[in-house]
Coordinates of all heavy atoms in Angstrom, one line a residue:
M16 N 32.2 40.3 -6.4 CA 30.8 39.8 -6.4 C 30.9 38.3 -5.8 O 31.7 37.5 -6.1 CB 30.2 39.8 -7.8 CG 28.7 39.4 -7.8 SD 28.0 39.4 -9.4 CE 27.3 41.0 -9.3
T17 N 29.9 38.0 -5.0 CA 29.8 36.7 -4.4 C 29.3 35.6 -5.3 O 28.8 36.0 -6.4 CB 28.9 36.7 -3.1 OG1 27.6 37.0 -3.6 CG2 29.4 37.8 -2.1
V18 N 29.5 34.4 -4.9 CA 29.0 33.3 -5.7 C 27.5 33.4 -5.9 O 27.0 33.1 -7.0 CB 29.4 31.9 -5.1 CG1 28.8 30.8 -5.8 CG2 30.9 31.8 -5.0
E19 N 26.8 33.7 -4.8 CA 25.4 33.9 -4.8 C 24.9 34.9 -5.9 O 24.0 34.8 -6.6 CB 24.8 34.2 -3.5 CG 24.9 33.2 -2.4 CD 26.2 33.4 -1.6 OE1 27.0 34.2 -1.9 OE2 26.2 32.7 -0.5
G20 N 25.7 36.0 -5.9 CA 25.4 37.1 -6.8 C 25.6 36.7 -8.3 O 24.9 37.3 -9.2
R21 N 26.5 35.8 -8.5 CA 26.7 35.3 -9.9 C 25.7 34.2 -10.3 O 25.3 34.2 -11.5 CB 28.1 34.8 -10.0 CG 29.2 35.8 -9.9 CD 30.5 35.3 -10.2 NE 31.5 36.1 -9.5 CZ 32.5 35.6 -8.7 NH1 32.6 34.3 -8.6 NH2 33.3 36.4 -8.0
I22 N 25.3 33.4 -9.4 CA 24.5 32.2 -9.7 C 23.0 32.6 -9.8 O 22.3 32.1 -10.6 CB 24.7 31.1 -8.7 CG1 26.1 30.5 -8.8 CG2 23.7 30.0 -8.8 CD1 26.5 29.5 -7.8
S23 N 22.6 33.5 -8.9 CA 21.1 33.9 -8.8 C 20.5 34.3 -10.2 O 19.5 33.8 -10.6 CB 20.9 34.9 -7.8 OG 21.2 34.4 -6.5
P24 N 21.2 35.2 -10.9 CA 20.6 35.6 -12.2 C 20.4 34.5 -13.2 O 19.5 34.4 -13.9 CB 21.5 36.7 -12.7 CG 22.2 37.2 -11.6 CD 22.3 36.0 -10.6
L25 N 21.4 33.5 -13.1 CA 21.3 32.4 -14.0 C 20.1 31.5 -13.7 O 19.4 31.0 -14.6 CB 22.6 31.6 -14.0 CG 23.8 32.3 -14.4 CD1 25.1 31.4 -14.2 CD2 23.7 32.7 -15.8
F26 N 19.8 31.3 -12.4 CA 18.7 30.5 -12.0 C 17.4 31.2 -12.3 O 16.4 30.6 -12.7 CB 18.8 30.1 -10.5 CG 19.6 28.9 -10.2 CD1 20.8 29.0 -9.7 CD2 19.0 27.6 -10.5 CE1 21.6 27.8 -9.5 CE2 19.7 26.5 -10.2 CZ 21.0 26.6 -9.7
Y27 N 17.4 32.5 -12.1 CA 16.2 33.3 -12.4 C 15.9 33.2 -13.9 O 14.7 33.0 -14.3 CB 16.3 34.8 -12.0 CG 16.0 35.0 -10.5 CD1 17.0 35.7 -9.8 CD2 14.9 34.6 -10.0 CE1 16.7 36.0 -8.4 CE2 14.6 34.8 -8.6 CZ 15.5 35.5 -7.9 OH 15.3 35.8 -6.5
L28 N 16.9 33.4 -14.7 CA 16.7 33.3 -16.2 C 16.2 31.9 -16.6 O 15.3 31.7 -17.4 CB 18.0 33.6 -16.9 CG 17.9 33.6 -18.4 CD1 16.9 34.6 -18.9 CD2 19.3 33.8 -19.0
A29 N 16.8 30.8 -16.0 CA 16.4 29.5 -16.3 C 14.9 29.3 -15.8 O 14.1 28.6 -16.5 CB 17.3 28.5 -15.5
G30 N 14.5 29.9 -14.7 CA 13.1 29.7 -14.3 C 12.2 30.4 -15.2 O 11.1 29.9 -15.5
I31 N 12.5 31.6 -15.6 CA 11.7 32.4 -16.6 C 11.5 31.6 -17.9 O 10.4 31.4 -18.4 CB 12.2 33.8 -16.8 CG1 12.1 34.6 -15.5 CG2 11.5 34.5 -18.0 CD1 12.9 35.9 -15.5
L32 N 12.6 31.2 -18.4 CA 12.6 30.5 -19.7 C 11.9 29.1 -19.6 O 11.1 28.8 -20.5 CB 14.0 30.3 -20.2 CG 14.7 31.6 -20.6 CD1 16.1 31.3 -21.1 CD2 14.0 32.3 -21.7
S33 N 12.1 28.4 -18.6 CA 11.4 27.1 -18.4 C 9.9 27.3 -18.2 O 9.1 26.5 -18.8 CB 12.0 26.3 -17.3 OG 11.8 26.9 -16.1
A34 N 9.5 28.3 -17.5 CA 8.1 28.5 -17.3 C 7.4 28.9 -18.6 O 6.2 28.6 -18.8 CB 7.8 29.6 -16.3
Q35 N 8.1 29.5 -19.5 CA 7.4 29.9 -20.8 C 7.6 28.9 -21.9 O 6.7 28.8 -22.8 CB 8.0 31.3 -21.2 CG 7.8 32.3 -20.2 CD 7.7 33.7 -20.7 OE1 7.9 33.9 -21.9 NE2 7.3 34.6 -19.9
F36 N 8.7 28.2 -22.0 CA 9.0 27.4 -23.2 C 9.0 25.9 -23.0 O 8.9 25.2 -23.9 CB 10.3 27.8 -23.8 CG 10.3 29.3 -24.2 CD1 11.1 30.2 -23.6 CD2 9.5 29.7 -25.2 CE1 11.1 31.5 -24.0 CE2 9.4 31.0 -25.6 CZ 10.3 32.0 -25.0
V37 N 9.1 25.4 -21.8 CA 9.2 24.0 -21.6 C 7.7 23.5 -21.3 O 7.1 23.9 -20.4 CB 10.0 23.6 -20.3 CG1 10.0 22.2 -20.0 CG2 11.5 24.1 -20.6
D38 N 7.3 22.6 -22.2 CA 6.0 22.0 -22.0 C 4.9 23.0 -21.8 O 4.3 23.1 -20.7 CB 6.0 21.0 -20.9 CG 4.8 20.1 -20.8 OD1 4.2 19.8 -21.9 OD2 4.5 19.6 -19.7
T39 N 4.6 23.8 -22.8 CA 3.7 24.9 -22.6 C 2.2 24.5 -22.3 O 1.5 25.3 -21.8 CB 3.6 25.8 -23.9 OG1 3.3 24.9 -25.0 CG2 5.0 26.5 -24.1
H40 N 1.9 23.3 -22.6 CA 0.5 22.8 -22.3 C 0.4 22.0 -20.9 O -0.7 21.7 -20.5 CB 0.0 21.9 -23.4 CG -0.1 22.6 -24.7 ND1 -0.9 23.7 -24.9 CD2 0.5 22.4 -25.9 CE1 -0.8 24.1 -26.1 NE2 0.1 23.4 -26.8
G41 N 1.6 21.8 -20.3 CA 1.5 21.0 -19.1 C 2.1 21.9 -17.9 O 2.2 23.1 -18.0
K42 N 2.5 21.2 -16.9 CA 3.0 21.8 -15.7 C 4.5 21.6 -15.5 O 5.0 22.1 -14.5 CB 2.3 21.3 -14.5 CG 0.8 21.7 -14.6 CD 0.1 21.2 -13.3 CE -1.4 21.6 -13.4 NZ -2.1 21.1 -12.3
V43 N 5.2 20.9 -16.4 CA 6.6 20.6 -16.2 C 7.4 21.9 -16.1 O 8.3 22.0 -15.2 CB 7.1 19.7 -17.3 CG1 8.6 19.4 -17.1 CG2 6.3 18.4 -17.3
G44 N 7.2 22.8 -17.0 CA 7.9 24.0 -17.0 C 7.7 24.9 -15.7 O 8.7 25.4 -15.2
V45 N 6.5 24.9 -15.2 CA 6.2 25.6 -14.0 C 6.9 24.9 -12.8 O 7.4 25.6 -11.9 CB 4.7 25.7 -13.8 CG1 4.4 26.3 -12.4 CG2 4.1 26.5 -14.9
I46 N 7.0 23.6 -12.8 CA 7.7 22.9 -11.7 C 9.1 23.2 -11.8 O 9.8 23.4 -10.7 CB 7.4 21.4 -11.8 CG1 5.9 21.1 -11.5 CG2 8.3 20.6 -10.9 CD1 5.4 19.7 -11.8
I47 N 9.7 23.2 -13.0 CA 11.2 23.5 -13.1 C 11.4 25.0 -12.6 O 12.4 25.2 -11.9 CB 11.6 23.3 -14.5 CG1 11.6 21.8 -14.9 CG2 13.0 23.9 -14.7 CD1 11.8 21.6 -16.4
A48 N 10.5 25.9 -13.0 CA 10.7 27.3 -12.6 C 10.6 27.4 -11.1 O 11.4 28.1 -10.5 CB 9.6 28.1 -13.3
T49 N 9.6 26.8 -10.5 CA 9.5 26.8 -9.1 C 10.7 26.3 -8.4 O 11.2 26.8 -7.4 CB 8.2 26.0 -8.6 OG1 7.1 26.6 -9.3 CG2 8.0 26.1 -7.1
G50 N 11.3 25.2 -8.9 CA 12.5 24.7 -8.4 C 13.7 25.6 -8.5 O 14.5 25.8 -7.5
C51 N 13.8 26.3 -9.6 CA 14.9 27.3 -9.8 C 14.7 28.5 -8.7 O 15.7 28.9 -8.1 CB 14.8 27.9 -11.2 SG 15.3 26.8 -12.4
Y52 N 13.5 29.0 -8.6 CA 13.3 30.0 -7.6 C 13.5 29.6 -6.2 O 14.0 30.3 -5.3 CB 11.9 30.6 -7.7 CG 11.6 31.2 -9.1 CD1 10.4 31.0 -9.7 CD2 12.5 32.0 -9.7 CE1 10.1 31.5 -11.0 CE2 12.3 32.5 -11.0 CZ 11.1 32.3 -11.6 OH 10.8 32.8 -12.8
T53 N 13.2 28.3 -5.9 CA 13.4 27.8 -4.5 C 14.9 27.7 -4.3 O 15.4 28.0 -3.2 CB 12.7 26.4 -4.4 OG1 11.4 26.5 -4.7 CG2 12.9 25.8 -3.0
V54 N 15.7 27.2 -5.3 CA 17.1 27.2 -5.1 C 17.7 28.5 -4.8 O 18.6 28.7 -3.9 CB 17.8 26.5 -6.4 CG1 19.3 26.7 -6.3 CG2 17.4 25.1 -6.5
V55 N 17.3 29.5 -5.5 CA 17.8 30.9 -5.3 C 17.4 31.3 -3.8 O 18.3 31.9 -3.1 CB 17.2 31.9 -6.3 CG1 17.6 33.3 -5.9 CG2 17.8 31.6 -7.7
A56 N 16.2 31.1 -3.4 CA 15.8 31.5 -2.0 C 16.7 30.8 -1.0 O 17.1 31.4 0.0 CB 14.3 31.1 -1.8
L57 N 16.9 29.5 -1.2 CA 17.7 28.7 -0.3 C 19.2 29.2 -0.2 O 19.8 29.2 0.8 CB 17.7 27.2 -0.6 CG 16.3 26.6 -0.3 CD1 16.4 25.1 -0.8 CD2 16.0 26.7 1.1
I58 N 19.7 29.6 -1.4 CA 21.1 30.1 -1.5 C 21.2 31.4 -0.6 O 22.2 31.6 0.1 CB 21.5 30.4 -3.0 CG1 21.7 29.1 -3.7 CG2 22.7 31.3 -3.0 CD1 21.9 29.3 -5.2
W59 N 20.2 32.2 -0.7 CA 20.3 33.5 0.0 C 19.9 33.5 1.5 O 20.1 34.4 2.2 CB 19.5 34.6 -0.7 CG 20.2 35.0 -2.0 CD1 19.9 34.7 -3.2 CD2 21.3 35.9 -2.0 NE1 20.8 35.3 -4.1 CE2 21.6 36.1 -3.4 CE3 22.0 36.7 -1.1 CZ2 22.7 36.9 -3.8 CZ3 23.1 37.4 -1.5 CH2 23.4 37.5 -2.9
I60 N 19.3 32.3 1.9 CA 19.0 32.2 3.3 C 20.2 32.0 4.2 O 20.3 32.5 5.3 CB 18.0 31.0 3.5 CG1 16.6 31.4 3.1 CG2 18.0 30.5 5.0 CD1 15.6 30.3 3.2
V61 N 21.2 31.3 3.6 CA 22.4 31.1 4.3 C 23.2 32.4 4.4 O 23.4 33.1 3.4 CB 23.3 30.1 3.6 CG1 24.7 29.9 4.3 CG2 22.6 28.8 3.4
P62 N 23.5 32.9 5.7 CA 24.1 34.2 5.8 C 25.5 34.3 5.3 O 26.2 33.3 5.3 CB 24.1 34.4 7.3 CG 23.8 33.1 8.0 CD 23.2 32.2 6.9
D63 N 25.9 35.4 4.8 CA 27.2 35.6 4.2 C 28.2 35.6 5.4 O 28.0 36.2 6.4 CB 27.2 37.0 3.5 CG 28.4 37.2 2.7 OD1 29.4 36.4 2.8 OD2 28.4 38.1 1.8
R64 N 29.3 35.0 5.2 CA 30.4 34.9 6.2 C 30.9 36.2 6.6 O 31.3 36.5 7.7 CB 31.5 34.0 5.8 CG 31.1 32.5 5.6 CD 32.2 31.7 5.2 NE 31.7 30.3 5.0 CZ 32.3 29.5 4.1 NH1 33.3 29.8 3.4 NH2 31.8 28.3 4.0
R65 N 30.9 37.2 5.6 CA 31.4 38.5 5.9 C 30.6 39.2 6.9 O 31.1 40.0 7.7 CB 31.5 39.3 4.6 CG 32.5 38.7 3.6 CD 32.5 39.5 2.4 NE 31.2 39.3 1.7 CZ 30.9 39.8 0.6 NH1 31.7 40.6 -0.1 NH2 29.7 39.5 0.0
I66 N 29.3 39.0 7.0 CA 28.4 39.6 8.0 C 28.8 39.2 9.4 O 29.0 40.0 10.3 CB 27.0 39.3 7.7 CG1 26.6 40.0 6.4 CG2 26.1 39.8 8.8 CD1 25.2 39.6 5.9
G67 N 29.0 37.9 9.6 CA 29.4 37.3 10.9 C 30.7 37.9 11.3 O 30.9 38.2 12.5
R68 N 31.6 37.9 10.4 CA 33.0 38.4 10.7 C 32.9 39.9 11.1 O 33.6 40.3 12.0 CB 33.9 38.3 9.4 CG 35.3 38.5 9.7 CD 36.2 38.3 8.5 NE 35.9 37.1 7.8 CZ 35.7 37.1 6.4 NH1 35.8 38.2 5.7 NH2 35.4 35.9 5.9
A69 N 32.1 40.7 10.4 CA 32.0 42.1 10.7 C 31.3 42.3 12.1 O 31.7 43.2 12.9 CB 31.2 42.9 9.7
V70 N 30.3 41.5 12.4 CA 29.7 41.6 13.7 C 30.7 41.2 14.8 O 30.7 41.9 15.9 CB 28.4 40.7 13.8 CG1 27.9 40.6 15.2 CG2 27.4 41.3 12.8
R71 N 31.5 40.2 14.6 CA 32.4 39.8 15.7 C 33.5 40.9 15.8 O 34.0 41.2 16.9 CB 33.1 38.5 15.3 CG 32.2 37.3 15.6 CD 33.0 36.0 15.4 NE 33.7 35.9 14.1 CZ 33.2 35.3 13.0 NH1 31.9 34.9 13.1 NH2 33.8 35.3 11.9
E72 N 33.9 41.5 14.7 CA 35.0 42.5 14.7 C 34.5 43.8 15.3 O 35.2 44.4 16.1 CB 35.5 42.7 13.3 CG 36.8 43.5 13.3 CD 37.3 43.6 11.9 OE1 37.2 42.6 11.1 OE2 37.9 44.6 11.5
F73 N 33.4 44.3 14.9 CA 33.0 45.6 15.2 C 31.8 45.6 16.2 O 31.5 46.7 16.8 CB 32.5 46.4 14.0 CG 33.6 46.6 13.0 CD1 33.6 45.9 11.8 CD2 34.7 47.4 13.3 CE1 34.6 46.1 10.9 CE2 35.7 47.6 12.3 CZ 35.6 46.9 11.1
G74 N 31.2 44.5 16.5 CA 30.1 44.5 17.4 C 28.8 44.8 16.7 O 28.7 45.4 15.6
A75 N 27.7 44.3 17.3 CA 26.4 44.6 16.7 C 26.0 46.0 16.9 O 26.3 46.6 17.9 CB 25.3 43.7 17.4
P76 N 25.2 46.6 15.9 CA 24.8 48.0 16.1 C 23.8 48.1 17.2 O 23.0 47.2 17.4 CB 24.2 48.3 14.7 CG 23.9 47.0 14.1 CD 24.8 46.0 14.7
D77 N 23.8 49.3 17.9 CA 22.8 49.5 19.0 C 21.6 50.1 18.5 O 21.5 50.8 17.6 CB 23.5 50.4 20.0 CG 24.6 49.7 20.7 OD1 24.6 48.4 20.8 OD2 25.6 50.4 21.1

């Protein structure tokens, strides 16, 4: 499993918990949750090195 695959569930869990339990009357928990989801999205935007290696090795599909 990749690093992204291990880290993403932890950030999702942190986002869910912070949105529900941190500062329930304010917006701090929602801001933390949004930050966690943004980090996960940014982690997965960067392409996996194995994909580039496979394309160079076998060529792009037609």
Side-chain angles (χ1 to χ4, degrees):
M16 185 179 267
T17 64
V18 174
E19 293 96 346
R21 289 186 210 132
I22 292 175
S23 295
L25 298 176
F26 274 104
Y27 279 127
L28 182 62
I31 291 167
L32 293 176
S33 66
Q35 298 210 354
F36 298 114
V37 176
D38 191 27
T39 56
H40 298 297
K42 296 181 181 179
V43 176
V45 175
I46 292 170
I47 294 171
T49 304
C51 289
Y52 299 137
T53 303
V54 167
V55 171
L57 292 174
I58 287 172
W59 284 102
I60 284 178
V61 178
D63 193 347
R64 292 180 185 154
R65 294 176 293 178
I66 295 172
R68 191 177 317 131
V70 169
R71 283 191 306 272
E72 187 175 329
F73 299 109
D77 294 328

